[in-house]
């Protein structure tokens, strides 16, 4: 993993912590090639699986998170993480969510950050006609 990615994951973990999330684990890897950048619990108890992307080129702005991984890959990784934590009674009957965190470094210890909460949530509106 690159130094930039490691720093971005640490910054994302700190960002979530400052907003009241309990960071459970960072940089989790399964057997094989699946990974989750940050696993946290929000104020409602929802377990949040976050992918993190960062760049240093301000001119390009925030990275697009379209390539952050397929929904299927992220769901499988989350299932594997939950399966590895079956002894934890606080992970029974909980909601889960997938977030994206994108950032661009704007200084030595500063970044512009976008936290996309529930990135797989439905944003289409329903309509009907009578």
């Amino acid at each position: 993993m690159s130094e930039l990615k490691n720093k971005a994951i640490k910054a994302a973990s700190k960002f979530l912590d400052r907003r009241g999330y309990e960071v459970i684990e960072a940089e989790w890897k399964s057997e094989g090639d699946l990974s989750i950048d940050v696993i946290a619990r929000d104020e409602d108890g929802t377990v949040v699986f976050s992918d993190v992307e960062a760049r240093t080129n301000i001119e390009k702005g925030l990275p697009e998170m379209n390539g952050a991984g397929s929904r299927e890959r992220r769901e499988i990784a989350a299932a594997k993480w939950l399966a590895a934590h079956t002894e934890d009674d606080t992970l029974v009957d909980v909601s889960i969510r997938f977030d994206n965190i994108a950032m661009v470094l704007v200084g030595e210890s500063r970044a512009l950050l976008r936290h996309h909460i529930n990135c797989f949530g439905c944003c289409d509106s329903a309509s009907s006609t009578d």
Side-chain angles (χ1 to χ4, degrees):
M1 189 177 300
S2 75
E3 183 179 343
L4 175 61
K5 179 77 171 188
N6 288 334
K7 286 181 178 181
I9 290 171
K10 287 178 184 169
S13 296
K14 185 181 259 187
F15 169 82
L16 292 172
D17 181 64
R18 287 182 177 169
R19 275 144 188 85
Y21 289 67
E22 173 196 356
V23 176
I24 300 169
E25 192 167 350
E27 300 183 55
W28 178 83
K29 294 182 185 348
S30 73
E31 294 178 15
D33 63 346
L34 295 177
S35 65
I36 302 169
D37 294 332
V38 181
I39 301 129
R41 191 182 299 263
D42 73 7
E43 62 280 353
D44 296 326
T46 299
V47 178
V48 180
F49 299 94
S50 297
D51 266 4
V52 179
E53 293 290 333
R55 67 168 47 133
T56 57
N57 187 337
I58 295 172
E59 300 301 320
K60 290 186 174 184
L62 291 163
E64 290 298 321
M65 296 295 293
N66 299 341
S70 73
R71 181 177 186 151
E72 180 181 29
R73 179 199 65 80
R74 291 180 69 182
E75 289 172 345
I76 292 168
K80 286 187 174 197
W81 184 85
L82 288 165
H85 293 81
T86 56
E87 74 287 350
D88 187 344
D89 291 339
T90 67
L91 296 172
V92 175
D93 197 24
V94 296
S95 296
I96 67 165
R97 186 179 79 220
F98 297 92
D99 290 2
N100 288 334
I101 299 175
M103 66 183 74
V104 61
L105 301 181
V106 297
E108 185 62 33
S109 60
R110 291 193 172 203
L112 174 65
L113 187 144
R114 178 179 57 225
H115 181 199
H116 184 171
I117 297 171
N118 196 20
C119 63
F120 296 137
C122 180
C123 59
D124 295 338
S125 60
S127 63
S128 64
T129 57
D130 293 292

